[in-house]
Amino acid sequence: MSFMQGDKVSRPRTRRLRTHLARMTFATLLPVLVLAAVLSWLLVMQEQATFERGARERVRALVSAVDAELRISIEALRVLADSESLLADDLAGFHERIARIESAMEPWSNINLALPSGERVVSALQPFGELLNPVQERESFDAVLRTREPQIGSLVVGDYMKTPVFAVRLPVLRGGEVRYVLSAVVKPLALQRLLMAQGLPPDWVGTVVDAKYTIVARTVDPDAMVGRTASQRLRDALAGVSSEGSYRGRTLEGYGVYSSFHRSALSGWAVVIGVPSAAVEAGAWRAAGLIAGGAALALALALLLSRLLGRGISQPIAELAAQARALASDGVLAERPVVRSGIAEVGDLDRTLRDAAEAVRARDDTRRQLATLTDNATVALFMTDANRHCSFMNPAAERMTGYTLVELHDRPLHDAIHHQRPDGSAYPRSACPIDRAFPENDRQQGEDVFVHASGRFYPVAYTASPIRVDGVPVGTVVEVRDITAERAAHAERLRLLQSEQEARAESDAANRAKDHFLAMLGHELRNPLSAISNAAYLLERRSGVGTAENDPAARPLGVIRRQLVHVTRLVDDLLDASRVSTGKIALNRRPLDLAALVRHIAQAVCGAASTARHRLVLDLQPTWVEGDETRLEQVVTNLLSNAVKFTHHGYVKLLIEVEGNQADALTLRFTVRDTGIGMTQEQIGRLFQDFTQADASTTRKYGGTGLGLAISQRFCRMMGG
């Protein structure tokens, strides 16, 4: 990959394979180094947690010891509060008693008794009756009055002894009310001894602070530190925690410590033990240093090995690069193996290069085949680039447009072949559907008119499809087909279709004229037929002709009567066909017994005259239907008449088949079977056409108009059959 910077081409910086192997080795060992660092950190944290747990246990023990020491003072005060002199409000006697025991109550420095107002009335260190100063530390004093419970005061400098002391106070109750407050003034020496008795290492700092964060006792430099305010870091830690906790900070001397503290529920004081950071972390840092040193040594050895191994890989890679350059130049690789390095990947790369050579040859073959395909294609093919300039056109496109690829290359395709409309107006490029395929990233197809190089216009069908790379259009491929001949053929088809439609219209007009003629002919024939029928009837009545078998006039009148019936039936068929065609027949539906109707018709059609030639077989079951009796009679009559007419001897059988049940719609089927002359497949195909007969010659043997079956079919359809 290269990048354009102005007029220069910058290439990425290259490095030798051994450098990449060293970097890969480092990247491989990096998780190990990270793991070593994490383990070192975890060791430090574990060591810190271990020290913290030990320190907290010791702090809890110290708090219990301090509370025990304070409870001793409280219990001693309870004994004094129950003395007889104090119960009898004998203050002089009470003064005498506490004066005797004060010197024995180490580490007490004084005992005094005060009224709830804060006025001291008895002090073991001063004569009875002497004016005494009021209570010095009021917070614990007021707490006794408020809670009626013993309280431990904060450290103050005593107003009499001028040394740091704190008060242990006890309420003396009378009737549930505080009568006196009995206080023991205690020196911090007892707590100092308690801390020193714990045997903490010399560099550990044990501290007791009161509720105001004043140092009451300390293992390190107590003479200078007792009475001073604790460090800000300790004050912040104690201010945010009610019972116990840990923090990392610095002592008042300025060195770092891990500190654990616990607050007493009895006094509100806190005991703190600070362990120097160096003591906590020393072992962990030693282990971490060993891990880090081992990791660094492993990294150095790995880099050395990668450099040694890189020499064995770079040589075959260089030879492979030479083979790749040969492939790039002429597509041919040497037949001998590249190297015998024993590295599977090098062998794979060698085979890959040979496969690439085969792929190059196959690609060249594909290109030649593609060139052959495009060169011999009858469809014009164009390709345009991202600027919609022509980049390719096949010979068919050159023949169709009159341009060569050299003439159109890097020119807008639209400007050459699609720039003008047949009316002479300009075709704007913004409206060109072929050009829209690229910006819209969608296929465009349709028909249009192109301009030949000579200036003539010709119709085309086109398809313009975007060429996409990773879903992004980079060009367009256009397929174009000259449809001049197709449009001419289409115009000819339209002309033939119009001619056929005109012929059909003429045929429909002729059919309508025929129907009109048949209707007129039927009506015109009915009138003379009625007159002839009436005249024949009158001749028979007036002359009595036909009553005797030997009457010479009987035969002619019989012929007239039979022919009148025949002609009347023909005229009726013509009239029915005309009425059906024009839709002038109305059905008169009513319930009727179909079996009885068919039996009556069969006896009339197949009467005594035909029984000598054939046998009539009826297979009927009583079936009530709703239909037009007259039209059903015509249907059955036509079916039986045809069977009788074309059957010389044998049988004629009529069946009525019923499908379904009376509750549902019934399906009826008339079936007529006979032993007549039969029909050919060609005759069956036109059986129900008007004026169609099996024998259409002028010397035909059987009469009829050829309308009976056609009319029967139409009647059945009118009744839903």
Side-chain angles (χ1 to χ4, degrees), residues 327 331 353-363:
L327 173 62
L353 285 174
R354 297 181 186 280
D355 292 342
E358 292 295 330
V360 169
R361 285 191 286 271
R363 182 192 62 189

Side-chain angles (χ1 to χ4, degrees), residues 373-393:
L373 178 64
T374 56
D375 290 347
N376 293 277
T378 58
V379 176
L381 299 174
F382 302 87
M383 287 181 63
T384 63
D385 57 20
N387 295 320
R388 285 160 278 180
H389 292 176
C390 181
S391 59
F392 170 80
M393 57 191 299

Side-chain angles (χ1 to χ4, degrees), residues 426-494:
Y427 202 141
R429 186 175 180 181
S430 59
C432 177
I434 296 175
D435 273 8
R436 280 204 303 269
F438 178 83
E440 295 182 8
N441 196 14
D442 193 16
R443 173 176 292 183
Q444 304 289 325
Q445 59 184 11
E447 295 183 359
D448 211 325
V449 178
F450 281 4
V451 185
H452 193 266
S454 63
R456 67 177 176 85
F457 294 92
Y458 55 97
V460 296
Y462 66 86
T463 299
S465 305
I467 303 172
R468 301 182 182 93
V469 175
D470 296 331
V472 178
V474 297
T476 310
V477 59
V478 185
E479 307 169 46
V480 182
R481 182 166 45 86
D482 190 336
I483 59 173
T484 302
E486 293 181 14
R487 287 199 172 180
H490 179 66
E492 179 63 19
R493 287 195 297 272
L494 291 178

Side-chain angles (χ1 to χ4, degrees), residues 79-329:
V79 172
L80 291 176
D82 292 335
S83 64
E84 294 181 0
S85 57
L86 187 60
L87 290 175
D89 291 330
D90 181 7
L91 299 183
F94 182 72
H95 176 268
E96 181 181 352
R97 182 177 181 183
I98 62 175
R100 289 197 306 270
I101 68 172
E102 182 273 332
S103 59
M105 292 297 295
E106 181 69 22
W108 290 4
S109 64
N110 192 10
I111 302 172
N112 56 59
L113 184 70
L115 297 175
S117 63
E119 178 186 356
R120 288 195 298 168
V121 294
V122 176
S123 173
L125 297 179
Q126 294 173 269
F128 180 74
E130 183 177 320
L131 182 64
L132 303 177
N133 293 330
V135 173
Q136 184 178 358
E137 192 265 314
R138 290 288 306 206
E139 289 187 14
S140 60
F141 186 87
D142 293 339
V144 171
L145 298 177
R146 184 174 63 254
T147 63
R148 294 178 174 81
E149 294 291 338
Q151 298 293 328
I152 309 299
S154 300
L155 191 70
V156 295
V157 176
D159 56 356
Y160 186 77
M161 300 293 293
K162 305 301 180 180
T163 59
V165 292
F166 63 90
V168 178
R169 304 185 190 277
L170 179 75
V172 179
L173 302 178
R174 296 287 188 272
E177 297 295 330
V178 178
R179 178 67 175 272
Y180 304 104
V181 176
L182 182 61
S183 301
V185 180
V186 184
K187 294 179 287 185
L189 180 61
L191 300 182
Q192 184 68 38
R193 292 172 181 171
L194 188 63
L195 277 181
M196 301 305 293
Q198 299 300 313
L200 298 178
D203 54 350
W204 287 30
V205 181
T207 307
V208 178
V209 296
D210 62 16
K212 292 185 175 182
Y213 310 128
T214 301
I215 297 175
V216 179
R218 195 169 189 264
T219 59
V220 178
D221 196 12
D223 295 337
M225 295 300 174
V226 171
R228 291 183 58 179
T229 302
S231 66
Q232 184 64 47
R233 184 70 182 86
L234 176 58
R235 296 201 303 272
D236 294 339
L238 290 172
V241 179
S242 60
S243 59
E244 65 179 11
S246 300
Y247 69 95
R248 183 173 181 177
R250 291 187 175 276
T251 65
L252 292 174
E253 290 81 7
Y255 59 87
V257 289
Y258 286 99
S259 298
S260 295
F261 61 87
H262 191 90
R263 190 188 299 274
S264 169
L266 174 65
S267 62
W269 292 8
V271 177
V272 186
I273 292 181
V275 183
S277 302
V280 175
E281 300 171 354
W285 283 120
R286 283 194 299 272
L290 290 175
I291 294 175
L297 179 60
L299 177 61
L301 291 175
L303 292 175
L304 179 61
L305 288 175
S306 69
R307 186 173 183 84
L308 295 175
L309 292 174
R311 294 177 180 176
I313 299 175
S314 59
Q315 180 60 34
I317 293 296
E319 295 187 21
L320 288 174
Q323 291 291 335
R325 287 191 292 271
L327 173 62
S329 62

